[in-house]
């Protein structure tokens, strides 16, 4: 199986909350104002206070306008958030221009907008902001006002040292931006994948709830249908034979009886049938998983190996059914002609092994199988719109997550040469799989 990363552009669009950006800018403006006042009046360094105050005032006015014109909950798409962060870089570069350029220790604050972009915005925005920081750093290294200083002479840094500062700043932007983006992207993918898993469980719960609704409907409709049956029998006795409505009354009675029979079946389905299916042998559970896939032209062989004890009777858990079903379906998709499912058990463990005769997992990626958005499918192939995460690598992630919740351990491997194919081994402690007679 050839494994590739799903296209990150297919994930939901990233955005930045305006209120967050406004709060961060107020924090930055407060720090800038405090630094300028301390340098000017406490350290008594001479600096262009008017120019610096003007740059801070412009940012404060922009913040006020954003708060007035937009709702605090408004979310900024990539281009707009990128523009505001770019303004922050330019504004800070202006302050650095009047206060010594790269020789100013606060030049490191140019990294902040890039970090915010890497954590919240698409990669293109982060690259554009990183390029802007590099350009501003280059300009500040070449042209700037003297560093504020008390007394003479004012220190002048050697050109080689300034070049080192420039290189350190640019390389830190690249490394830190890439690191922050990778960490934030993994967190986003994991959250999206877990949401998809919860959606699958919610669907299963809705299907289970339908049985209870059927029983409630049967109970509520039983009384009016009984009344209809009684009334129709009374009418049949009172209407003389040969009456033109006698056939209609007979039809009405027969249909009411048919409705009552249907409701009785629904009642038994919601009680006795659920009680029966709540516990099922391992072989029956596997057959329920396999039966819908036997029509795909691939031979599916199910074997049972009893090493000790009787066959375990497990829960009819929707999570187990979905997890096993997804893995078997993947095996059928990639198999050349045969899928083998082996169920083994002893006094301690229950093991289900699913093996196909396909190409197997690509070397070096077996450890990554099961991560969100690592997919074995061709992204150009058409997808089923009803399939959760179809083609995005979420199917196996959800299956593995649900199986782990049931107490299972899932291990992926390839068949030993000269055979080819993937092997997935799922192991439960017998106590976790098995359900007793009096279990809920």
């Amino acid at each position: 199986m050839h494994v590739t990363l799903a296209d990150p552009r297919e994930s939901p669009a990233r955005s930045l909350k305006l209120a967050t950006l406004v709060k961060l800018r107020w924090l930055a403006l407060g720090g800038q104002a405090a630094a300028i006042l301390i340098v000017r009046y406490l350290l008594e360094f001479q600096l262009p206070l008017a120019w610096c105050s003007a740059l801070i005032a412009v940012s404060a006015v922009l913040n006020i306008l954003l708060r007035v014109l937009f709702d605090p909950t408004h979310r900024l798409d990539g281009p707009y958030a990128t523009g505001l962060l770019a303004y922050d870089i330019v504004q800070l570069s202006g302050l650095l221009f009047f206060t010594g350029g790269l020789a100013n220790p606060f030049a490191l604050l140019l990294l902040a907008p890039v970090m915010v972009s890497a954590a919240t915005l698409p990669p293109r925005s982060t690259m554009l902001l990183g390029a802007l920081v590099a350009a501003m750093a280059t300009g500040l290294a070449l042209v700037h006002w003297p560093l504020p200083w008390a007394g003479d002479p004012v220190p002048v840094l050697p050109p080689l040292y300034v070049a080192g500062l420039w290189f350190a700043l640019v390389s830190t932007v690249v490394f830190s931006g890439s690191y922050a983006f990778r960490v934030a992207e993994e967190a986003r993918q994991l959250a999206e994948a877990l949401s998809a898993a919860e959606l699958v469980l919610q669907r299963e719960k809705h299907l289970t709830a339908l049985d209870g609704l059927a029983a409630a409907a049967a109970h509520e409709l039983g009384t009016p249908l009984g009344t209809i049956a009684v009334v129709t029998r009374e009418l049949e006795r009172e209407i003389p034979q040969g009456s033109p409505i006698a056939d209609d009354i007979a039809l009405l009675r027969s249909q009411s009886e048919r409705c009552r029979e249907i409701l009785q079946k629904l009642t038994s389905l919601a009680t006795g049938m659920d009680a029966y299916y709540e516990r099922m042998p391992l072989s029956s559970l596997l057959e329920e998983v396999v039966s819908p896939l036997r029509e795909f032209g691939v031979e599916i062989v199910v074997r049972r190996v009893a090493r000790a004890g009787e066959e375990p009777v497990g829960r009819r858990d929707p999570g187990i059914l979905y997890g096993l079903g997804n893995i078997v379906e993947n095996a059928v998709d990639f198999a050349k002609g045969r899928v083998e499912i082996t169920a083994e058990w002893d006094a301690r463990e229950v093991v289900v092994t699913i093996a196909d005769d396909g190409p197997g997992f690509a070397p070096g990626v077996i450890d990554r199988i099961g991560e969100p958005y690592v997919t074995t499918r061709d992204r150009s192939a058409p997808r089923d719109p009803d399939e959760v995460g179809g083609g995005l690598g979420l199917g196996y992630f959800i299956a593995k997550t649900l199986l782990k919740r049931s107490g299972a351990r899932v291990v992926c491997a390839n068949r030993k040469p000269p055979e080819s194919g993937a092997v997935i081994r799922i192991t439960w402690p017998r106590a976790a799989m098995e359900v007793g007679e009096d279990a809920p």
Side-chain angles (χ1 to χ4, degrees), residues 296-351:
F296 289 88
V298 175
E299 181 185 6
I300 302 178
V301 179
V302 181
R303 296 186 299 174
R304 297 184 300 166
V305 179
R307 303 195 183 279
E310 298 182 352
E311 180 179 2
V313 178
R315 294 170 290 144
R316 190 180 182 276
D317 188 335
I320 295 178
L321 289 173
Y322 179 88
L324 289 176
N326 181 273
I327 293 175
V328 175
E329 182 179 356
N330 285 341
V332 170
D333 287 345
F334 289 98
K336 296 178 181 177
R338 182 182 176 90
V339 173
E340 298 178 358
I341 303 175
T342 304
E344 307 174 63
W345 64 85
D346 56 24
R348 297 176 52 198
E349 293 182 336
V350 177
V351 181

Side-chain angles (χ1 to χ4, degrees), residues 3-293:
V3 180
T4 57
L5 280 174
D7 193 341
R9 292 174 298 179
E10 296 173 354
S11 58
R14 288 172 280 266
S15 60
L16 183 61
K17 192 176 179 181
L18 179 61
T20 300
L21 197 57
V22 169
K23 290 177 182 178
L24 289 175
R25 183 176 289 127
W26 280 126
L27 180 64
L29 294 178
Q32 293 171 2
I36 290 174
L37 293 176
I38 290 174
V39 170
R40 176 64 182 84
Y41 294 106
L42 184 62
L43 301 180
E44 297 183 350
F45 288 0
Q46 297 298 320
L47 52 77
L49 188 60
W51 287 105
C52 294
S53 300
L55 288 173
I56 295 175
V58 170
S59 294
V61 171
L62 177 60
N63 252 14
I64 294 173
L65 290 177
L66 290 174
R67 189 59 185 268
V68 172
L69 297 177
F70 296 95
D71 188 88
T73 59
H74 180 71
R75 302 194 70 87
L76 296 170
D77 293 333
Y80 300 101
T82 304
L84 289 177
L85 290 174
Y87 166 79
D88 291 334
I89 294 174
V90 173
Q91 187 262 357
L92 180 58
S93 299
L95 288 175
L96 293 174
F97 171 79
F98 292 115
T99 56
L102 291 188
N104 190 321
F106 290 100
L108 291 177
L109 291 177
L110 287 171
L111 299 173
V114 180
M115 297 300 101
V116 173
S117 174
T120 57
L121 298 179
R124 182 179 302 175
S125 299
T126 304
M127 289 188 289
L128 290 174
L129 293 174
L132 179 61
V133 168
M136 290 296 171
T138 303
L140 292 172
L142 299 175
V143 181
H144 58 82
W145 285 24
L147 181 71
W149 202 260
D152 292 321
V154 176
V156 178
L157 298 178
L160 184 61
Y161 186 79
V162 175
L165 290 176
W166 178 91
F167 183 78
L169 182 62
V170 173
S171 60
T172 303
V173 166
V174 174
F175 174 78
S176 300
S178 302
Y179 181 82
F181 171 76
R182 188 65 252 170
V183 172
E185 183 67 11
E186 289 180 358
R188 273 192 294 266
Q189 291 179 353
L190 183 60
E192 293 168 7
L194 289 176
S195 297
E198 293 297 333
L199 177 60
V200 172
L201 288 178
Q202 192 65 30
R203 288 180 178 177
E204 296 294 339
K205 290 179 181 179
H206 287 169
L207 292 176
T208 303
L210 289 178
D211 290 343
L213 293 175
H219 177 74
E220 294 293 333
L221 294 175
T223 300
L225 284 175
T227 303
I228 293 173
V230 171
V231 172
T232 53
R233 284 196 294 268
E234 293 290 339
L235 290 175
E236 282 183 326
R237 287 196 296 265
E238 295 180 3
I239 293 176
Q241 294 184 354
S243 172
I245 63 173
D247 292 339
D248 295 336
I249 298 298
L251 178 62
L252 181 61
R253 180 177 60 81
S254 65
Q255 293 301 309
S256 65
E257 291 176 354
R258 183 183 176 188
C259 289
R260 296 186 69 183
E261 292 174 0
I262 293 173
L263 290 178
Q264 287 177 356
K265 290 180 181 179
L266 290 176
T267 304
S268 63
L269 177 64
T271 55
M273 293 295 287
D274 277 352
Y276 173 77
Y277 279 112
E278 181 67 24
R279 303 176 62 253
M280 58 192 316
L282 179 61
S283 57
S284 299
L285 186 145
L286 292 177
E287 184 60 32
E288 182 172 345
V289 169
V290 168
S291 57
L293 303 173

Side-chain angles (χ1 to χ4, degrees), residues 2 4 326 329-330 333-334 375-380 387 390-391:
H2 178 63
T4 57
N326 181 273
E329 182 179 356
N330 285 341
D333 287 345
F334 289 98
T375 177
T376 60
R377 301 188 183 277
D378 183 5
R379 294 195 300 271
S380 62
E387 182 182 359

